[in-house]
Amino acid sequence: MKFTCATSELNKAVQSIMPAIAAKPSTPIFGGMHIIADEGKIRLEGMDINLSMSNEIKGEVEESGEIVIAATRFNDLVRNFNGDTVKFTKNNNDNNVRLQSGKADYKILLMNVNEYPKYPSVEAAKSLVIEEEKIKELIKKTAFACSTDSARPLFTGVLCEIKDNKITFVGTNTHRLAIRTLTVENMDDMSVIIPSVVLKEINKNLNGKLPQDVTFFILNNQLMVKIENWTLVSRLIEGKFPDYKRVIPPQFNVKTKVNVKELAGAVSRMSLCSGSENDYSIVKISIGEKEIKVMSSSPDVGTGEEIIPCTTEGSPINVAFNAAYIMDIMKNIETEEAEIHLNNSLSPVCVRPSSDEEYIYIVTPVRVIF
């Protein structure tokens, strides 16, 4: 095997599939990266049991061939090469590959290429194409609300629901719920649960420079995603997603409008007084007719209080939240003002943009004494 490729393109391709290489692979061969050179193309593959990724770049291939190289070591080398190109050379009987870039010259031991599994394929029964702008919006507004607890896999995924020419993404960790709906055309009705880690990888591979379509191929519990030369194969999450519509109260007694940046800033500053060393900082919010008082206290740190203006319909109300949950939604509301809808101090609270945008965020208050 002998080929040469651009260092920058190789580095991008390696970075795009490294997330598929587990820190502690289920079997040693999955700690390797599969590289295949043939007919002017260099294909890189990484995989483990539940996730596979591949990417393809152009190169000058003198002799076709394939190798498996330790992925972490290879990644470190490629990121630090200072030459414009990298030349790969492997003789038939060698168990190492020679890498030359600039003045650097390495010989790196290889893994057994015969042990590397075939890259999975999905002969799709269903497929859908979503424009870059729409998929980025759907992911950004929902995936952050998912759980990271692998003991509850159902809540580590985002529900993707297509019905009546509308696509809805729903993310929840049971303490908060984010729902974003967009209009689509010519898509068949369907409902699947996509791992949030998969959606975040999709988002990372959308460069925003040129509009790109994202194609989803679905067969049974398998999902393949394709963005230009990058592909991802993953299992879908199996199980019945909870009826998220039941969590949304049918009506609210109190509605207040508040400036997004002012509320986010006040909550962020007050969370510093909570004394918590983890992500669970509690802030108390007292909503009046024309002002909101944001408060926090801790016997180890002290107390804090900040007042910001608002416009409220309904009776004054006190409520407390996990500060991170409020700051997260404020980052994802793009209007100047947000609406907060409440019934009482312990019932689910709805936060949404002050527009007709189909975006709803439900958060459960925390029980505290004011």
Side-chain angles (χ1 to χ4, degrees):
M1 183 180 80
K2 186 183 292 185
F3 69 87
T4 303
C5 61
T7 306
S8 60
E9 293 302 309
L10 179 64
N11 186 34
K12 288 177 186 175
V14 171
Q15 297 303 316
S16 73
I17 66 172
M18 277 302 293
I21 311 290
K24 294 181 179 179
S26 55
T27 184
I29 195 66
F30 285 145
M33 187 173 293
H34 191 200
I35 303 173
I36 307 158
D38 190 32
E39 296 183 351
K41 293 180 180 178
I42 318 301
R43 178 179 169 88
L44 295 89
E45 298 175 349
M47 67 172 75
D48 206 338
I49 293 175
N50 296 318
L51 183 65
S52 303
M53 295 184 192
S54 73
N55 207 339
E56 205 170 80
I57 61 173
K58 293 179 180 179
E60 296 179 11
V61 181
E62 296 180 49
E63 296 176 14
S64 60
E66 58 181 316
I67 59 173
V68 177
I69 188 168
T72 302
R73 184 179 299 114
F74 181 58
N75 179 39
D76 291 340
L77 283 172
V78 172
R79 283 192 291 118
N80 286 285
F81 281 150
N82 56 11
D84 293 334
T85 61
V86 182
K87 184 176 182 179
F88 289 67
T89 308
K90 180 194 177 296
N91 296 321
N92 287 338
N93 297 322
D94 288 350
N95 68 338
N96 58 59
V97 63
R98 187 180 184 186
L99 305 177
Q100 297 168 280
S101 182
K103 295 182 179 181
D105 192 336
Y106 295 87
K107 281 190 177 180
I108 305 298
L109 288 173
L110 296 172
M111 305 171 79
N112 188 347
V113 70
N114 296 319
E115 293 181 4
Y116 203 84
K118 184 180 178 181
Y119 192 81
S121 62
V122 177
E123 300 296 330
K126 295 181 182 178
S127 66
L128 60 140
V129 180
I130 306 177
E131 300 99 317
E132 175 178 342
E133 184 180 340
K134 287 186 176 180
I135 191 65
K136 289 187 83 168
E137 170 76 3
L138 290 164
I139 294 170
K140 179 178 184 287
K141 296 291 178 71
T142 58
F144 74 92
C146 292
S147 173
T148 57
D149 184 1
S150 58
R152 300 189 303 166
L154 196 65
F155 300 109
T156 63
V158 171
L159 174 67
C160 170
E161 195 172 60
I162 301 174
K163 192 173 182 180
D164 300 330
N165 293 319
K166 289 197 171 185
I167 183 169
T168 299
F169 270 31
V170 184
T172 183
N173 66 356
T174 72
H175 300 293
R176 60 178 176 180
L177 171 74
I179 309 166
R180 182 68 173 108
T181 300
L182 295 173
T183 301
V184 291
E185 296 179 0
N186 303 319
M187 286 191 185
D188 295 334
D189 290 0
M190 62 176 291
S191 179
V192 294
I193 305 172
I194 304 173
S196 61
V197 292
V198 166
L199 293 172
K200 289 171 184 176
E201 289 304 322
I202 293 170
N203 206 37
K204 281 164 55 176
N205 282 277
L206 292 168
N207 57 39
K209 295 176 183 176
L210 293 172
Q212 303 174 88
D213 286 341
V214 181
T215 307
F216 294 79
F217 303 95
I218 298 166
L219 177 64
N220 298 326
N221 71 333
Q222 291 287 310
L223 166 73
M224 175 181 277
V225 182
K226 186 172 178 60
I227 305 172
E228 293 188 329
N229 294 324
W230 179 83
T231 69
L232 176 151
V233 179
S234 169
R235 291 180 184 177
L236 294 167
I237 295 175
E238 297 185 76
K240 183 173 175 58
F241 202 82
D243 184 359
Y244 62 91
K245 294 177 183 177
R246 292 182 59 188
V247 179
I248 307 170
Q251 60 186 27
F252 295 93
N253 300 323
V254 181
K255 182 179 87 171
T256 188
K257 277 190 178 182
V258 62
N259 182 279
V260 170
K261 289 184 178 179
E262 289 182 352
L263 180 59
V267 171
S268 177
R269 287 184 287 272
M270 289 306 105
S271 68
L272 301 176
C273 287
S274 72
S276 175
E277 295 181 358
N278 52 37
D279 294 333
Y280 204 83
S281 301
I282 295 173
V283 293
K284 301 174 183 178
I285 296 178
S286 182
I287 299 172
E289 182 182 355
K290 294 183 179 179
E291 64 181 33
I292 290 176
K293 187 184 293 184
V294 183
M295 303 164 285
S296 186
S297 63
S298 165
D300 300 323
V301 180
T303 63
E305 179 180 301
E306 190 164 339
I307 294 174
I308 56 174
C310 69
T311 305
T312 301
E313 298 174 15
S315 304
I317 188 170
N318 295 326
V319 64
F321 298 105
N322 177 344
Y325 288 179
I326 298 301
M327 290 187 285
D328 282 346
I329 184 57
M330 292 299 116
K331 292 175 191 172
N332 286 290
I333 290 181
E334 292 162 13
T335 54
E336 186 176 341
E337 288 187 318
E339 294 180 3
I340 303 175
H341 301 249
L342 313 92
N343 282 318
N344 58 59
S345 297
L346 295 176
S347 65
V349 174
C350 175
V351 185
R352 61 186 306 164
S354 58
S355 67
D356 294 330
E357 184 180 278
E358 292 189 70
Y359 185 37
I360 296 174
Y361 183 75
I362 302 293
V363 57
T364 305
V366 179
R367 186 187 296 270
V368 298
I369 298 174
F370 274 79

